[in-house]
Each structure stands twice: as structure tokens, then as C-alpha cells.
């Protein structure tokens, strides 16, 4: 399946006048594993150098597959949770160890958590994968040698602080700039697609939290070599807004600064925006100055909270989310399909047997008639089916992340992350190139989603 765009809410691209792009992980794709490892190492160094953590932490090893996007950190208890759309816990670890069902019941007094509570933060961007890995490992170190480390909550605070420092100072950026081919994926189809969208009269702008110098370095590498009708990215993009401080950009009231592209120096700016490069600003001024209304703008980002959730709540922009994990997850779903079909077939056999069993036991209770032999037979048949089903479930699960399973599902339900995607992203796709491969005149239509009472209803006109 190539260049798929998935639709939550109908979107007519012909009506979109402005296309806004986040830069990191959206317009510019990273080799996420390599970059997260770099961030992780940087965080270890800073924990020791700036936070006086024991040097033991320098021995920790980066384990990329330990965490998936969408997990929730419980920083009061030192746990990582996989949660369904209803807030039901579908998997849990303390440090790096699985929490037993009994312990989980004790910790959470049942199965549900209120994610709005102050103890929880969700891992909703690729940048925070290394944060969650490190948190779990430090929880384990603290449990072993308690006196050397602060409590779980402070551990997470320190980790987030050193991550912010590493992203803010030049320590990560300078390594990326010096090793572009290791960390950045060049995609000629992105430049090509953007030039095509320009031909259809779309204005294209960048809205990034990265600073001008880093933005320039990345775009010089990822965009310039592939342009055919534009001299460079500065000519391609109508407006480039750097150091935008999303999600604050969407609800605050801050003036733009104008950036001089030749040296990155800035001057105050309070006139209407003209083509060029800016720093800061806010959505309200952006719309007023360009006389554009929210639903004329499609914004594409990869960060469900920073890019999409606040944007949808505070402005009325249309939204598209890049979900890097999708292609891999769909490929694995295809592999799991034969086993899942067999599971369904066996379930179809099991359900009528279960109903018969319920009826017989009810009959015994209500009528006082004995059905011992039939009941024993049914129970044996059900156990035999279960014995066939459980290895098939294991087999299909083994295709996905060994610790957490699928990104978009928690058992039979959608994951909390999938639910966020559904609520806040109008469309979503694996990469920006997948969207740009579609015509700028595409009418993206959402599917009718059946509710439980509609499933299996095959209604003809007469029946209605
Ligand atoms: Mg991003």
C-alpha cells in the first residue's frame, strides 16, 4: 500500500489556501533511532555533569524497542502504562519489569486510570521515547540503590530538564549538522510535491520550534538539492516562522520578529507579514495579517499535543498528523492476518457453545433439571477451542513490539494514542510525502464508522 492518507474528517484540499508545516520529523524526516540514541547519550552526560547523578548512569544502554509511542508515564509510582481509549490499563511495567496483575489491581484499585490526573504524562512524540526509556532504567537503579537517587517524580523532572537543555543548547544540533547523512533522511519527493502544490496556488509556510540557524542547516540539506523551479527553500516557502514556541503559538499573543536570512539577526516587526523569515509570533496575528481564516489552513505536524491537540482546541485550523510508525504497523497487521482469521473462525465456533452452556446451567438453576453429561461435554469442547486459540494469539502478538504490542490498539480496543489521533487529526499518514503524492485537488472523504448496534445490520430499503 503506497501513499495512503487516512481520513477522520472530510477535507477538501481545493478549499485549503495555506499549508503549514512543522519541520522536525514532518518536513524533515529523521532517522529516529539514531537521533534518539544521540539524545539519550546527551541526557546521561548532563545528568552526571549538571544534576550530580552517580556515574553508574553512564553505563546504561539505549534500548529503542523498550518503549512505543502513546505510552503513559505514572511518575508517582515509577510505572509505564499502555492504556486504551477508555483509560483501561492494558499493560504495565515498573522500571523495566512487568507488573503482575495482582500488583496492578492493588496500585490502581481496578483497571482504569484518570489520565487528566497530575501523576500522568504521555509519550506523544518521538522525542520523548528516550525520556521514557531512561525513566524506566533510572527507576530500576533507584529501587536497587535508593539513597543515591531522588524520588520518581523528581527523576522524571530531571530527565525532562536535561532533555530540554540538550535540545536547546548546541550539543545535539551540532552533531546532527556535522553528520547529516546519519540523522536526516533526504526525500526528493517532498521538494517535488511542494513545488506541485505551489503550482496550484497554495501558500506554503513553516512553523517550527527550531531556531533559524538549525532550520537553515536542515533545509539546505533536505530541500535545496531537489528543487527544480525554485532557487532555494527561502524562495519556495512563503513564510518561515522559527522558534515559534508551539503550542503557545496557538493561544498566546506575541509579536513576530523579522529574521535577516543572511546572518540570522532579528528586528522588531509589527507590520503585516510579507514573504520571508520570522521568529516567534502567534496564530491570531498570523491569521489577521494574512486575512486568512482558520479553516483555510491545513497544518501538518508529528506531535499530537504540541502540534495538533492545542491547535484544534484553540484555533480552527484543519489538521494532519504524521505517524511514522504506521507503515511498519500495517505491514505487521498483514502478517498477522492469517492467524487472526483463524482466531475469529474458532471464536465463531466457541460462542454458540458458550450460549448452550449458559442455557443448560440456567435450566438447572431455574427448573431443577440435571444436565451433567451435556455440560461436561460442552466444557471440554470449549477448552479444546481455547487451547487452539491461545497459541494463535501469542503468534500474532509476537509480530508486534515484544513489550507493548501495537501502537494503535490496546487489545480489542483502540489505544489512548489512536483515540487522540482520531479526535484531533482530520487526516493522518505515515509521512508528509504520502500526502504530497495526492493531488492538491483531492477530496478526502471520511468513512462511516459503524457503532456497535450497527455492526452486522445489513439493512435493505424495505427493512428500514
Ligand atoms: Mg516535529
Amino acid at each position: 500500500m503506497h501513499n495512503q492518507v487516512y481520513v477522520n474528517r472530510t477535507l477538501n484540499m481545493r478549499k485549503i489556501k495555506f499549508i503549514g508545516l512543522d519541520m522536525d520529523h514532518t518536513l524533515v524526516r529523521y532517522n529516529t533511532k539514531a537521533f534518539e540514541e544521540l539524545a539519550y547519550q546527551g541526557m546521561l552526560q548532563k545528568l552526571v555533569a549538571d544534576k550530580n547523578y552517580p556515574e553508574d548512569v553512564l553505563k546504561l544502554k539505549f534500548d529503542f524497542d523498550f518503549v512505543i509511542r502513546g505510552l503513559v508515564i505514572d511518575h508517582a509510582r515509577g510505572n509505564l502504562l499502555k492504556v486504551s481509549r477508555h483509560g483501561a490499563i492494558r499493560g504495565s511495567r515498573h522500571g523495566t519489569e512487568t507488573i503482575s496483575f495482582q500488583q496492578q489491581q492493588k496500585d490502581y484499585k481496578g483497571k482504569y486510570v484518570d489520565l487528566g490526573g497530575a501523576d500522568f504524562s504521555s509519550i506523544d512524540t518521538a522525542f520523548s521515547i528516550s525520556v521514557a526509556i531512561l525513566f524506566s532504567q533510572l527507576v530500576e537503579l533507584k529501587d536497587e540503590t535508593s539513597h543515591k537517587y531522588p524520588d520518581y517524580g523528581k527523576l522524571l523532572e530531571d530527565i525532562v530538564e536535561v532533555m530540554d537543555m540538550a535540545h536547546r543548547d548546541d550539543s545535539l544540533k551540532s552533531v546532527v549538522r556535522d553528520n547529516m547523512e546519519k540523522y536526516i533522511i533526504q526525500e526528493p519527493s517532498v521538494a517535488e510535491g511542494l513545488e506541485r502544490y505551489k503550482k496550484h496556488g497554495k501558500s506554503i509556510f513553516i512553523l517550527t520550534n527550531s531556531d533559524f540557524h538549525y532550520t537553515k542547516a536542515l533545509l539546505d540539506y533536505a530541500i535545496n538539492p531537489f528543487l527544480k523551479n525554485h532557487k532555494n527553500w527561502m524562495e519556495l516557502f512563503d513564510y518561515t516562522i522559527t522558534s515559534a514556541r508551539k503550542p503557545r503559538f496557538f493561544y498566546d499573543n506575541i509579536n513576530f520578529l523579522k529574521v535577516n536570512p543572511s546572518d540570522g539577526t532579528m528586528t522588531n516587526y509589527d507590520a503585516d507579514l510579507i514573504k520571508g523569515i520570522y521568529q516567534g509570533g502567534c496564530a491570531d496575528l498570523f491569521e489577521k495579517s494574512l486575512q486568512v481564516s482558520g479553516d483555510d489552513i491545513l497544518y501538518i505536524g508529528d506531535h499530537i499535543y504540541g502540534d495538533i491537540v492545542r491547535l484544534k482546541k484553540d484555533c480552527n485550523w484543519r489538521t494532519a498528523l504524521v505517524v511514522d510508525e504506521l507503515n511498519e504497523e500495517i505491514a505487521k497487521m498483514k502478517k498477522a492476518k492469517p492467524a487472526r482469521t483463524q482466531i475469529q473462525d474458532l471464536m465463531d465456533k466457541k460462542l454458540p457453545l458458550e450460549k448452550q452452556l449458559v442455557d443448560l446451567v440456567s435450566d438447572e438453576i431455574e427448573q431443577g433439571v440435571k444436565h451433567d453429561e451435556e455440560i461436561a461435554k460442552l466444557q471440554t469442547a470449549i477448552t479444546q477451542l481455547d487451547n487452539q486459540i491461545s497459541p494463535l494469539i501469542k503468534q500474532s502478538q509476537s509480530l508486534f513490539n515484544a513489550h507493548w504490542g501495537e501502537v494503535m490498539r490496546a487489545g480489542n480496543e483502540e489505544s489512548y494514542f489512536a483515540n487522540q489521533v482520531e479526535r484531533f487529526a482530520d487526516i493522518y499518514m505515515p509521512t508528509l510525502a504520502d500526502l504530497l503524492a495526492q493531488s492538491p485537488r483531492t477530496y478526502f472523504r471520511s468513512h462511516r464508522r459503524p457503532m456497535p448496534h450497527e455492526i452486522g445490520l445489513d439493512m435493505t430499503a424495505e427493512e428500514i
Side-chain angles (χ1 to χ4, degrees), residues 22-28 30 125 127 208 246 299-303 307:
D22 167 56
M23 182 178 74
D24 298 292
H25 295 275
T26 301
L27 174 60
V28 174
Y30 281 68
T125 156
F127 279 151
T208 174
K246 294 172 289 178
Y299 186 70
I300 307 157
D302 67 290
H303 189 329
D307 288 325

Side-chain angles (χ1 to χ4, degrees), residues 256-260 264-270 277-279:
F256 285 98
L257 298 170
K258 187 101 172 66
V259 176
N260 178 348
T265 54
M266 284 167 288
T267 43
N268 286 327
Y269 192 81
D270 50 16
I277 300 171
Y278 299 87
Q279 173 168 321

Side-chain angles (χ1 to χ4, degrees), residues 218-234:
L218 257 56
L219 296 181
D220 284 351
Y221 177 77
I223 300 291
N224 281 359
F226 309 107
L227 290 173
K228 297 204 172 74
N229 309 320
H230 298 82
K231 204 165 70 220
N232 53 37
W233 62 266
M234 294 186 197

Side-chain angles (χ1 to χ4, degrees), residues 267-293:
T267 43
N268 286 327
Y269 192 81
D270 50 16
D272 282 343
L273 295 193
I274 48 166
K275 192 167 169 156
I277 300 171
Y278 299 87
Q279 173 168 321
C282 60
D284 191 43
L285 271 180
F286 182 84
E287 286 176 26
K288 277 189 189 137
S289 154
L290 297 170
Q291 297 185 336
V292 58
S293 84

Side-chain angles (χ1 to χ4, degrees), residues 154-171:
K154 182 83 170 83
L155 278 182
L156 184 64
E157 234 175 74
D158 288 346
I159 294 168
V160 170
E161 206 179 311
V162 292
M163 179 195 69
D164 285 344
M165 279 162 65
H167 280 122
R168 226 179 13 242
D169 67 24
D170 215 37
S171 54

